[in-house]
Amino acid sequence: MCGIVGYIGKRNSVDVILNGLRKLEYRGYDSSGIAVIVDKKLHVRKKVGRLYNLRSDILKDPITANIGLGHTRWATHGKPSKKNAHPHMDSTKSIVIVHNGIIENYIKLRNELLKCGQEFESETDSEVIVHLIKRNYKNSLFHAVQETLSEIKGSYAFGLLCKYEPNKMVFARQDAPLVIGIGKGENFVASDVTALLPYTRNMVFLEDGDIAEITAEKVIIKDIGNNIKNREIKSIQWNAAQAEKDGYRHFMLKEIFEQPRTIEETFRSRIYPNEGRIYIEEIGFKDEDIKNISSIHVVACGTSYHAGLVSKFLFENFTGIPTEVGIASEFRYGNSILNEKKMVIIISQSGETADTLAALKLAKSKNCRTLALCNVVGSSVSREAERIIYTHCGPEIGVASTKAFTSQLTILYMLAFDWANKRGNLPKEKLKEYLNELWEIPLKIGEFLKNIELLQDIAKVFVNKRDFLYLGRHVNYPIALEGALKLKEISYIHAEGYAAGEMKHGPIALIDKSMPIVAIAVKGRVYEKMISNIEEAKSRGGIIIALASEYDEEIVTKSDYIIYVPKVNEFMSPLVTVVPLQLLAYYIAVLLGCNVDQPRNLAKSVTVE
């Protein structure tokens, strides 16, 4: 979710870039930088922290140029620091790059370059690209990019300047957004249209595989095979607020729809289905460490706690390791038995949740092995934990967590499969099956999100109900809790999530003809049990909204409304069943006129007890 801005024309590019980067601050970042060409020399300025720091530095020592690139960095490889901030230059200071995305094979490429005597200034995967481009440069930056793209694997949106070609910029895109703003005698580039709206409404959206050569007067787009690509110029009528949300009405809706990409970004370069291999570079535990784990204790709050509850089923089923899941705010007061053979897994989107941080410190004081799952590089949790795995879902602006949750689940699946394999509980062929299933999840969610009109219709039917009951079993019991939490958070409607088998131990007394019951009844080992629970609720007048696997005909006679989700392996189903529940809560909240992105009384990160 880093931000890129580029400009070439008659204006001072520094002003355009700084203004553009300010428009992209909502995306989140930990450092910023700018590169310009003056008198055929590259000049780079960068600062850690807020964009204000970079702006202040430039005000003290102004610089003017008609061409430049700017970047705000959200760290993925390498901690937030000046040396890791973009832009990055090659060793001869001839070419400079700004890059969003993840280069999957950067370690292999970096090692090859090191063997050839190349020195590196940063810890980033991005720097590898600029060194490769310099190695391939033969009087044409565009051709050097074409040649380099055949060497790198991963997702990228990057821009380049070269001091030998001071009147052009070159950009390339694969699985990361880039848009060109078309002006008169000037052209602009950015990660999204927000940065460009003050200057132009005419936009060209680059597509995967596009390479663009941009001067003040023209834009040429080709592919790696040198074929011309004619991209339509679109007139954008969004206002600035709409632009920040990519045209979505709310950040929450945008983030729900981002999940196919963020799940993929989280497992990209970490799983290799055809090889039956999982490689999480940053985890650092030896195979012997994994084999010696006596038990696991997962600690988290809120939505992250629900991700932890799913992981209990995964770790115990696949690895055979006994697993407890605790709410962070209660962890310190429960006298849990902690020792050096226990693995404590901390889950926190922000890495700043006070209760979670306190639980982590307690675990460390008891000599436990500690592993944190976090989305924010450089956060308190990431600094405190023995080992840290980052989700790659980018900043989550909506207070009600959506994409962070599914990214956390994705990491937990990878850990469970990897540790099961290392402990001899999951043969390689079976591991390949699960990894291939995980690989297909983003595509399946993407297909589901193309047809969501039914959810909007269901929301209209139930918008005035004041109580909901969510039921689930096995791995989908935590999803029932999460679905109820989402509805409570953003619509202020009372909702309870329950293990369906527990319905007879109290909640069944609440069921009558005015009670909507959301039942997660996808195919799996507990399917018949869920059908029985649905029948019990329906016989007492409950209105059944069922989440069912596609092509399930049996459930038609048992339910009043059916939301079909893609058919997946039972253990993978939480990744697909949670999405319609996020949307159902969203649409009801919107109909009620609630502030979806900033619900009352809630904060994105709870940094006090």
Side-chain angles (χ1 to χ4, degrees):
M1 294 296 290
C2 311
I4 288 175
V5 178
Y7 175 77
I8 184 168
K10 297 177 182 178
R11 307 175 196 248
N12 181 7
S13 64
V14 176
D15 295 336
V16 175
I17 291 165
L18 289 176
N19 289 337
L21 293 179
R22 184 173 57 82
K23 296 286 186 181
L24 299 181
E25 283 190 291
Y26 74 92
R27 297 165 69 93
Y29 63 98
D30 52 62
S31 57
S32 59
I34 190 169
V36 297
I37 300 177
V38 180
D39 297 328
K40 297 187 177 180
K41 289 183 180 179
L42 286 170
H43 297 261
V44 173
R45 305 274 188 89
K46 44 190 183 179
K47 286 287 184 179
V48 176
R50 307 307 296 171
L51 186 62
Y52 172 82
N53 298 338
L54 178 64
R55 186 183 289 273
S56 297
D57 182 68
I58 291 172
L59 284 173
K60 291 176 186 175
D61 183 13
I63 189 168
T64 302
N66 73 322
I67 182 172
L69 295 173
H71 189 270
T72 49
R73 178 179 188 249
W74 176 271
T76 55
H77 294 83
K79 63 185 179 182
S81 65
K82 187 173 180 179
K83 71 175 183 179
N84 289 330
H86 294 223
H88 294 291
M89 286 196 284
D90 76 292
S91 301
T92 67
K93 301 189 182 333
S94 304
I95 300 171
V96 69
I97 189 171
V98 292
H99 165 237
N100 296 347
I102 298 171
I103 303 304
E104 296 177 12
N105 60 336
Y106 91 98
I107 293 176
K108 175 176 177 289
L109 294 171
R110 184 184 178 100
N111 288 337
E112 289 174 359
L113 289 164
L114 286 169
K115 287 178 182 178
C116 296
Q118 178 62 59
E119 295 181 355
F120 285 81
E121 295 291 328
S122 76
E123 303 166 291
T124 69
D125 55 338
S126 309
E127 190 183 349
V128 168
I129 307 172
V130 74
H131 291 311
L132 290 173
I133 289 171
K134 180 60 175 74
R135 187 176 71 178
N136 294 328
Y137 185 79
K138 300 179 182 67
N139 302 317
S140 171
L141 183 60
F142 190 87
H143 292 151
V145 171
Q146 287 178 311
E147 188 172 346
T148 301
L149 292 186
S150 65
E151 300 179 68
I152 63 176
K153 296 178 182 177
S155 61
Y156 51 80
F158 64 74
L160 298 151
L161 298 178
C162 176
K163 71 177 185 179
Y164 302 122
E165 302 175 60
N167 297 312
K168 70 175 63 169
M169 306 183 290
V170 176
F171 287 82
R173 175 218 154 113
Q174 181 66 44
D175 296 328
L178 273 178
V179 58
I180 300 171
I182 307 298
K184 294 182 179 179
E186 61 183 355
N187 286 305
F188 311 78
V189 182
S191 301
D192 64 43
V193 299
T194 314
L196 308 184
L197 287 177
Y199 308 102
T200 181
R201 296 273 168 172
N202 297 321
M203 311 285 181
V204 172
F205 292 86
L206 293 183
E207 299 181 12
D208 287 347
D210 284 353
I211 310 168
E213 183 176 87
I214 302 170
T215 66
E217 301 297 334
K218 63 181 178 180
V219 174
I220 299 172
I221 303 172
K222 296 183 180 179
D223 61 17
I224 197 170
N226 218 40
N227 302 299
I228 292 285
K229 297 295 179 179
N230 296 310
R231 302 298 181 210
E232 179 186 0
I233 298 176
K234 297 183 178 180
S235 179
I236 302 299
Q237 301 306 316
W238 299 340
N239 60 35
Q242 287 175 309
E244 288 184 2
K245 303 178 182 77
D246 283 352
Y248 291 100
R249 186 172 176 182
H250 297 97
F251 279 111
M252 182 180 178
L253 186 61
K254 174 177 179 280
E255 288 158 4
I256 290 171
F257 273 78
E258 284 179 336
Q259 288 176 115
R261 180 182 61 78
T262 54
I263 291 171
E264 184 176 348
E265 290 288 352
T266 297
F267 69 57
R268 184 191 289 275
S269 80
R270 288 168 164 169
I271 69 170
Y272 301 85
N274 294 334
E275 301 173 28
R277 183 167 64 91
I278 298 171
Y279 178 65
I280 305 176
E281 175 198 357
E282 58 266 53
I283 193 168
F285 292 128
K286 298 176 182 177
D287 290 4
E288 201 61 31
D289 295 332
I290 306 306
K291 292 175 183 177
N292 287 335
I293 297 172
S294 65
S295 61
I296 295 171
H297 204 128
V298 183
V299 185
C301 296
T303 287
S304 296
Y305 169 68
H306 296 156
L309 289 174
V310 174
S311 78
K312 175 179 172 66
F313 292 96
L314 302 179
F315 286 126
E316 293 188 340
N317 183 81
F318 290 101
T319 71
I321 303 173
T323 302
E324 302 174 56
V325 184
I327 297 171
S329 58
E330 295 295 323
F331 183 70
R332 283 177 290 167
Y333 311 112
N335 293 320
S336 296
I337 299 171
L338 302 173
N339 55 53
E340 66 278 1
K341 288 193 173 182
K342 189 155 199 166
M343 176 71 73
V344 175
I345 298 177
I346 298 292
I347 309 176
S348 173
Q349 188 282 139
S350 68
E352 301 295 346
T353 305
D355 289 317
T356 307
L357 188 58
L360 172 57
K361 290 178 178 178
L362 174 62
K364 285 181 66 180
S365 73
K366 301 294 185 180
N367 298 316
C368 296
R369 311 304 300 265
T370 57
L371 171 65
L373 276 61
C374 185
N375 191 38
V376 181
V377 175
S379 62
S380 298
V381 161
S382 71
R383 295 194 304 272
E384 195 73 35
E386 178 186 358
R387 294 285 186 266
I388 175 76
I389 302 177
Y390 292 111
T391 55
H392 291 317
C393 63
E396 189 176 62
I397 309 301
V399 167
S401 182
T402 52
K403 65 178 182 176
F405 175 71
T406 49
S407 289
Q408 290 166 354
L409 285 182
T410 302
I411 292 285
L412 292 165
Y413 282 113
M414 289 191 287
L415 286 177
F417 298 152
D418 185 45
W419 292 359
N421 180 252
K422 285 180 166 63
R423 291 170 66 95
N425 292 11
L426 189 64
K428 179 161 283 193
E429 289 306 310
K430 200 66 181 174
L431 175 60
K432 288 181 181 179
E433 287 182 28
Y434 283 112
L435 293 183
N436 275 298
E437 183 89 30
L438 183 58
W439 192 271
E440 294 296 321
I441 291 290
L443 178 63
K444 291 180 177 180
I445 295 176
E447 288 299 313
F448 172 82
L449 289 171
K450 292 178 181 178
N451 299 286
I452 55 172
E453 292 81 6
L454 176 61
L455 281 159
Q456 298 177 55
D457 293 340
I458 292 173
K460 292 173 184 175
V461 173
F462 294 100
V463 65
N464 292 316
K465 298 292 184 181
R466 302 314 302 160
D467 298 280
F468 278 73
L469 182 62
Y470 286 70
L471 300 176
R473 279 181 176 264
H474 196 235
V475 289
N476 279 299
Y477 161 52
I479 303 307
L481 297 175
E482 177 62 13
L485 177 61
K486 284 291 154 286
L487 191 66
K488 283 183 281 195
E489 283 181 306
I490 63 173
S491 73
Y492 320 136
I493 293 172
H494 174 251
E496 293 293 335
Y498 256 86
E502 287 292 292
M503 182 175 58
K504 295 187 290 293
H505 298 276
I508 201 167
L510 298 172
I511 296 175
D512 58 24
K513 61 183 179 180
S514 65
M515 170 73 80
I517 297 163
V518 181
I520 307 172
V522 293
K523 291 289 187 179
R525 68 185 68 185
V526 295
Y527 175 75
E528 296 301 331
K529 297 287 187 183
M530 275 302 305
I531 292 297
S532 296
N533 296 138
I534 288 172
E535 289 177 329
E536 288 170 344
K538 192 167 179 59
S539 69
R540 287 158 177 81
I543 310 165
I544 307 299
I545 307 167
L547 263 66
S549 301
E550 56 189 345
Y551 312 122
D552 181 0
E553 297 180 0
E554 181 181 351
I555 204 161
V556 172
T557 59
K558 317 290 185 185
S559 309
D560 299 287
Y561 300 88
I562 304 173
I563 303 164
Y564 285 110
V565 296
K567 190 172 183 180
V568 298
N569 179 282
E570 176 186 18
F571 282 98
M572 303 286 193
S573 60
L575 284 168
V576 297
T577 54
V578 74
V579 177
L581 300 187
Q582 294 168 347
L583 285 166
L584 181 62
Y586 170 79
Y587 288 126
I588 289 175
V590 169
L591 289 170
L592 289 171
C594 299
N595 187 339
V596 171
D597 286 332
Q598 295 180 307
R600 69 189 184 201
N601 304 330
L602 296 179
K604 185 62 182 171
S605 178
V606 182
T607 56
V608 294
E609 287 192 63

